[in-house]
Amino acid sequence: MTFVKKHTSQILVHILFWMLFVFVSLFLFSDFYWKENPFLQYLALLVIIVYGNNFLLLPFFVRKKMYILYTFVFAVISFLATQLYCYTFAKCGCTIFKCLSDYLWQSLVPLIFFSFIWVLYRFIDKENEVEAIKKEHAEMELKFLKSQINPHVLFNNLNTIYSYSLEKPNEVPEMILMLSDNLKHVLYESNSKTISLEKEVHFIDNYMKFQKLRTEGTKHVDYKKDIDSYNYQIAPLLLITIIENAFKHSTLHSDVSITIKVEKGVLECICENDYDEEKVSTTDFRIGLQNLEKRLELIYKDHYEFRIDKNDKFKVYLKLNF
């Protein structure tokens, strides 16, 4: 569809130019009548020169980057075409300089105009190619970053189910249902660029249930939600990275606080946890949040705020504008 639109616009530009050019040549600058005007005879040759330049000369010299030589060839063609018009078609019998001053514009204007149009559309094509490559690269990077998230979440849930199958088997069926929902979310729904906020929060709710069960007796979990509307779209698996990081790197017998707030199209996610200062500088500690920041920059550029504070507690703050 884009290809058709581009070529349609080019054709329209060419048609409109030739109509205007012929009108100006015949009605504003000519002393001849239509039938007597030699410009009409010269027009066919001028079209051949213009499109020979567009389809042969310009592509060749630009590809070879021989810009100075092309300028020289361009000037020679314009000069010869003007002389041809003066002495063969118009038969004005004037001097070379008089010929150039009176009729050079008829050769130069279409050559310069269509050369400019050729360069312009070539530039647009190059820009579109660059944008397409950037988009493809961004999509590949997003898929890679998400692939690093998925296994962590699922393996933690599986480990929790395994431990409960040994100690509290009666609770396993409900946990399997929650895991099924999470699997569906991670394997299918997360492939979309955005999903409904309701689905993403439901996924986090299930994850939090697993974590409360898994950390029972070892950590105190405070999970709060304040959401004025679920009628928003969000990139999948963003919030889970912050939340998982809080559990993964919090110390034993500590507090983990997670707050999700949505108000008037603005989402805030705040996670706080006690941490071991010696582990904060390790690569394993940083990689999850670094990947998250890359995803945020790719998806929500200029529409997010992301902060990490390391004081008494390790605090991660994320703000998104829907």
Side-chain angles (χ1 to χ4, degrees), residues 176-231:
I176 291 176
L177 286 176
M178 288 192 295
L179 178 61
S180 176
D181 285 343
N182 284 6
L183 275 170
K184 180 183 176 183
H185 185 85
V186 171
L187 297 177
Y188 298 107
E189 293 171 352
S190 67
N191 290 326
S192 304
K193 290 184 179 180
T194 60
I195 60 171
S196 69
L197 179 63
E198 184 177 11
K199 289 182 178 179
E200 186 71 6
V201 171
H202 178 68
F203 168 71
I204 292 170
D205 288 343
N206 284 347
Y207 178 82
M208 292 302 302
K209 289 176 183 177
F210 273 104
Q211 289 300 326
K212 286 182 177 180
L213 292 172
R214 191 171 70 87
T215 61
E216 188 177 7
T218 60
K219 294 179 184 180
H220 176 261
V221 179
D222 183 19
Y223 175 47
K224 298 176 182 177
K225 294 186 298 181
D226 183 9
I227 301 173
D228 64 359
S229 174
Y230 286 95
N231 296 323

Side-chain angles (χ1 to χ4, degrees), residues 16 66 81 92 176 190 198 247 255 321:
L16 289 172
M66 301 164 66
C92 62
I176 291 176
S190 67
E198 184 177 11
F247 282 102
D255 296 333
N321 295 313

Side-chain angles (χ1 to χ4, degrees), residues 242-260:
I242 304 174
I243 296 170
E244 186 188 19
N245 185 79
F247 282 102
K248 186 177 181 181
H249 298 290
S250 59
T251 56
L252 288 174
H253 305 292
S254 62
D255 296 333
V256 177
S257 174
I258 295 164
T259 302
I260 299 174

Side-chain angles (χ1 to χ4, degrees), residues 131-180:
E131 286 300 317
I133 291 171
K134 286 182 178 179
K135 184 178 179 181
E136 183 178 355
H137 176 75
E139 288 177 353
M140 290 176 64
E141 188 171 357
L142 282 172
K143 287 180 181 178
F144 172 72
L145 293 173
K146 283 200 293 186
S147 71
Q148 292 182 311
I149 299 170
N150 298 353
H152 296 301
V153 178
L154 297 178
F155 287 147
N156 285 343
N157 291 350
L158 284 171
N159 288 335
T160 303
I161 291 176
Y162 173 74
S163 63
Y164 266 73
S165 68
L166 298 176
E167 299 172 7
K168 301 177 182 178
N170 291 336
E171 298 185 25
V172 169
E174 183 182 354
M175 296 173 71
I176 291 176
L177 286 176
M178 288 192 295
L179 178 61
S180 176

